[in-house]
Amino acid sequence: MSGQIQLLPESIANQIAAGEVVQRPASVVKELLENSVDAGATQIRLYIKNGGINYIQVDDDGKGMNALDSRMCWERHATSKIRSADDLYKLNTLGFRGEALASIASVAQVEMKTKTRDEPYGTRLVIDGGRVLEQENTATTDGTSITVKNLFFNIPARKNFLKSITVETKHIMDEFNRVALAYPGIGFELFNQGKSVVKLNSGTLRHRISELFRIKEDDLLDAGEETEIVGISGFIGKPKLSKRTRGNQYLFANGRFIRDAYLNHAISSAFAGLMEEGYHPFYVVFLQVDPAKIDVNIHPTKSEVKFEDSRHVYSMLHAVIRKSLGQFFSLPSAQQLQNNIQRSESRGQFQSTAPNPRFNPFEPSKQKQKTEWEKLDELLKPAEPEVERQADFFQDLVREDALDIRGIFQLLGKYIVVQLDEEMWLVHQNRAHEQILFERYSKKKGAAHTQQLLFPRTLELSASDFQMYQDIEEEIRNLGFDVSVFGKQTVIINGLPGDLAKSDGADVLEQIFQDFKTDFQALKISKKEALIKATAKNTAIKAGKVLSETEMRKIVQDLSHCDQYNVNPKGAPIVIKLDEDSLERFFQSQGKK
Ligand code: ADP
Ligand code: MG
């Protein structure tokens, strides 16, 4: 008698399992990196090409495998990590079902070299779509190297579902970041298209975070607490590191990256009142719970977990973050925060350099008790270059008397009419300010004065713009932008040039990029000049802006100090001067008609 039911061939069973485990190149990266971590590696290298679609390689210096294990590990349910069903509930390693390698091998072309410390030779293995093609002894270093080529070569339907190289690369970077954050004691290096793009030395977590995201160690606040149920450790970013997009939030449970909206809320809500609406805090937080009290098995890729006591974890987490923020300053009430925002908005464009008759640069400022506000300000912004600012300030003071202004007013919202001793000037406000800025930026040596933003902005750039940004980053800083790279292709703007009109920093910077690109290509001028031109153009006050008398005076005074103050670089007039001669000529020529 024969029935209709048959067991699936092993290779098909593996492909089905691969549907769960291997969704995209980043899943392969995750599994390989985690295996290397489990193998006790101290140094891990990841090589990718074309978003990992064609090529992924992970090399480690871990414990390696002998000839038998190197063959066994490709079988489904082959694992050295669990021996009994009980082990499932107290898992301390990352792997746990022995499915990853079998799944990967069933949907790609794989090569492995591996060697243990005890054996003189290693093993080399070639597997294609799940079939072992070659196995031989080989001379190789201690540890394991696995290469995965042409993912989904035998399942075109799955291959078609892969996204662009950029998107797949981003997913890989995410996985890389997660593993790198969870194991700061391990050195990592990432090579993309043969070029080393990230190199992380082993060290403290604080150092790892700062290297990985290129942020200052000082901008990270310690967050830690032990209770019977949960151990919490890690760092939160000062509020100024928060972003509009929910990118840099890393939560780990027992060394595994997890997604948990409930616990994310515990952290984000602790920042209430310190961040602008719609912003998300930066954090890297680790939870340690008894492995028996957490179920990691509810999701195939293991990024969702279930805590036995999630409410306790929530309130502990919230309290720890609150405490960590609170150690730096008293948390302000919503009303105080509102006042501070208004105060910063009312800081006029020219206020930072407005003359102060009592200013004496040689008199040390009186030390006074810091108010909560000042402490909050400190937390929200990096230190200002005090010396630089005083120097600017002093210079402005000395020059203030240059023009003898008798009267001044704005005409049509676009022109400034100035009455001097013996003449009258008609000034084009936009061109004047552009010229002032252009000359100031051109002459600046070292960094210009920066006005810190209360709420930093982030700017996401395209890959090519980001490349360009990196080319001119130093010069952008010298212009007075306080910018830093924040993750991949994102720039965070903490401060703007001091005399930049109060505006959205991200918009301005983006506009500057666009103009810089066009000018640099079209005008064949130096990068620096193109950047200065673009900055002056985009940061100058516009026609139509109503100006206070102080502002008008400042523009006219500054203009009178410009090397070229009556026409701009394109030859367009900035100032029309009416003196006795020109008036007389005008009336005479009109009278003769
Ligand atoms: P799991 O990690 O769940 O055990 P995998 O399929 O990922 O399953 O790996 C199977 C086994 O292969 C592991 O249990 C481990 O013994 C071995 N292995 C995999 N990668 C490495 C490596 N880089 N170094 C040493 N052993 C490894
Ligand atoms: Mg594994």
Side-chain angles (χ1 to χ4, degrees), residues 67-103:
L68 187 64
D69 283 347
S70 71
R71 180 72 181 247
M72 263 301 278
C73 72
W74 301 99
E75 302 292 330
R76 197 136 80 99
H77 305 308
T79 176
S80 55
K81 299 167 193 171
I82 338 177
R83 291 273 177 265
S84 71
D86 244 12
D87 288 348
L88 259 184
Y89 298 96
K90 31 185 164 135
L91 211 66
N92 268 318
T93 56
L94 295 168
F96 66 102
R97 337 196 268 194
E99 253 176 354
L101 291 186
S103 302

Side-chain angles (χ1 to χ4, degrees), residues 255-290:
R256 254 178 239 285
F257 174 82
I258 59 166
R259 266 178 248 280
D260 193 312
Y262 181 59
L263 295 183
N264 172 62
H265 185 263
I267 300 176
S268 300
S269 61
F271 279 76
L274 291 173
M275 261 175 356
E276 210 175 347
E277 189 79 19
Y279 277 68
H280 303 281
F282 175 94
Y283 62 80
V284 179
V285 172
F286 293 84
L287 306 174
Q288 198 66 41
V289 291
D290 178 351

